[in-house]
Amino acid sequence: MSLLYSHDAFLLTAQYPPVDSPLSEFSLRIAEALSKKARVYLIAPGLDWRDAGELKIRGFINPVYDHQNVITWAFSACREAERIVATMIYEEKARGPVIAINWELFPAALSLGRYFSLPIHFIPHSFEAQRAGLSSLLSIAIGEIERMAIRDSRSIILFGNAVSEYYYQLGGKSESALELSASELQPSKKEELASALTSLLQGSP
């Protein structure tokens, strides 16, 4: 049975439990499902390093202080994510697709994918136009990072009609997208979600 590229995957997210938020819960569901089919290195701020079976949690100090806005925070976080993934590649010989959940750590995924010649994938929990509209300069800048993620990712996984709608408004192409029902994120459907994610990533070189 074909699994992920070298049976590893790097999953980058800005929030993960014990943070209590919709993005954190979304990231947990993705990580748990994917770790049923591959060794997953979960990279997120504010977490200790620990292993839970095939889920390898690799956290870094949350660089939340001394930043003017969420974008400056995100770019600081990206540097830490890049450092950790590079360490896993060099020291643990891990190698596989880089998957960014939401926009915050996508620049890190892009840098790592290009430098190490790894496939890049994007899983938006939501888009900025959904969350806040695109009326402020900050929101416009975030929207541009999301457009970059859509343009430069090999594939994008979309959960629910609302996310799909905004994906196409931002110029997304149907041939790059795997559209799944939001119900597949339910804990009872972990196996179905794992199969869907694996089938998407099997084409990695």
Side-chain angles (χ1 to χ4, degrees), residues 60-76:
F60 56 89
I61 295 174
N62 193 338
V64 72
Y65 302 107
D66 301 321
H67 287 280
Q68 296 299 314
N69 56 58
V70 68
I71 290 181
T72 61
W73 174 88
F75 279 99
S76 293

Side-chain angles (χ1 to χ4, degrees), residues 91-183:
E91 294 186 0
E92 299 192 14
K93 309 304 179 185
R95 194 165 178 84
V98 187
I99 306 162
I101 295 179
N102 248 28
W103 68 272
E104 292 90 346
L105 297 185
F106 181 80
L110 183 61
S111 296
L112 290 161
R114 287 179 172 175
Y115 186 82
F116 291 105
S117 299
L118 301 174
I120 303 163
H121 303 283
F122 182 49
I123 308 180
H125 171 259
S126 61
F127 287 105
E128 182 67 10
Q130 291 175 267
R131 297 185 296 268
L134 296 176
S135 57
S136 71
L137 291 177
L138 182 64
S139 291
I140 291 171
I142 292 171
E144 287 305 309
I145 296 174
E146 292 171 339
R147 289 180 188 275
M148 177 175 66
I150 290 171
R151 182 186 67 241
D152 293 334
S153 296
R154 171 173 294 187
S155 56
I156 296 93
I157 304 175
L158 306 168
F159 289 92
N161 293 333
V163 175
S164 294
E165 178 182 344
Y166 280 96
Y167 167 75
Y168 291 113
Q169 287 181 12
L170 290 170
K173 307 295 184 182
S174 59
E175 57 268 25
S176 300
L178 175 64
E179 298 182 61
L180 301 174
S181 169
S183 66

Side-chain angles (χ1 to χ4, degrees), residues 1-5 33-34 36-38 97 99 121 154-157 177-180 184 191-204:
M1 176 180 170
S2 176
L3 295 180
L4 296 180
Y5 177 45
L34 198 56
K36 286 185 166 292
K37 301 294 184 180
I99 306 162
H121 303 283
R154 171 173 294 187
S155 56
I156 296 93
I157 304 175
L178 175 64
E179 298 182 61
L180 301 174
E184 295 202 44
E191 290 290 346
E192 292 90 334
L193 178 57
S195 297
L197 294 175
T198 303
S199 66
L200 179 64
L201 300 174
Q202 281 176 345
S204 301

